[in-house]
Amino acid sequence: MSTFTKLAYHIVFSTKHRHPLIHNHNSFQKRLYEYIGGIIRAQNGKLIEIGGVEDHIHILAGLCPTKAVSDVVRKIKANASKWSNGLSELTHRFEWQKGYGAFSVSYSLLESVRHYIQNQREHHQKKTFEAEYITILELYDIVFDRKYLFEDEYYA
């Protein structure tokens, strides 16, 4: 018998302290997203959609079943930070938050999640990243303590 899988994940994480570092000037945002897509492909995954705004990103990806989600996210964040900090046009150090959210997505809901990610700019005219992230955690019935949900920029 052969083994078949189709494992899709909605992955969300922000820049450190949610600083607005992912600007679209000099096509940085587009190049960052392309670079992240390359990291995912190097892990035998498939980028389905990527999007976000200045302080966070959403990734919809099919991941290889032999790769732990935590390992893939760690590689994305480490390699994308290193690449970004090597660019001469960035004026500030680029860093990601310590944690992330990763949520399994049913195949029947891929287009819905994809549409949600494509419309991040419009979505965030009405809702902050913090409010959005809490909504997603509650949707997936994840228990969390708001006190520890985000890095505290004053004590980091």
Side-chain angles (χ1 to χ4, degrees):
M1 175 182 213
S2 297
T3 302
F4 301 97
T5 63
K6 189 161 193 120
L7 305 173
Y9 296 91
H10 179 190
I11 301 166
V12 183
F13 51 88
S14 74
T15 57
K16 189 168 186 175
H17 307 307
R18 293 158 319 283
H19 290 302
L21 301 175
I22 309 172
H23 293 285
N24 202 19
H25 63 77
N26 297 328
S27 70
F28 172 69
Q29 184 182 60
K30 182 178 188 282
R31 292 185 300 147
L32 174 66
Y33 291 173
E34 289 171 353
Y35 192 82
I36 289 171
I39 295 167
I40 292 168
R41 286 187 296 279
Q43 298 297 305
N44 297 317
K46 178 184 177 192
L47 179 63
I48 300 168
E49 193 66 54
I50 188 168
V53 292
E54 291 81 3
D55 66 350
H56 73 281
I57 64 170
H58 292 257
I59 299 168
L60 180 60
L63 300 182
C64 176
T66 62
K67 305 285 184 185
V69 175
S70 59
D71 290 339
V72 173
V73 173
R74 182 177 37 78
K75 287 185 186 218
I76 291 170
K77 290 165 76 174
N79 290 320
S81 292
K82 184 177 180 182
W83 173 81
S84 298
N85 286 316
L87 298 173
S88 61
E89 69 255 28
L90 290 189
T91 57
H92 300 293
R93 181 164 172 74
F94 190 94
E95 295 179 84
W96 298 108
Q97 72 176 35
K98 290 181 183 174
Y100 65 93
F103 314 96
S104 59
V105 177
S106 169
Y107 183 73
S108 63
L109 295 176
L110 283 181
E111 283 306 310
S112 175
V113 175
R114 185 178 208 170
H115 179 74
Y116 177 79
I117 292 171
Q118 290 170 343
N119 289 295
Q120 281 291 293
R121 182 106 7 236
E122 294 81 19
H123 178 72
H124 284 288
Q125 291 177 359
K126 301 174 192 156
K127 194 176 225 181
T128 66
F129 169 65
E130 291 88 345
E132 173 191 46
Y133 195 59
I134 288 169
T135 299
I136 294 170
L137 293 174
E138 290 171 343
L139 177 68
Y140 279 89
D141 201 24
I142 295 175
V143 178
F144 61 92
D145 185 335
R146 288 177 191 248
K147 183 167 63 173
Y148 302 111
L149 194 56
F150 300 105
E151 293 172 339
D152 187 343
E153 63 186 289
Y154 303 104
Y155 300 106

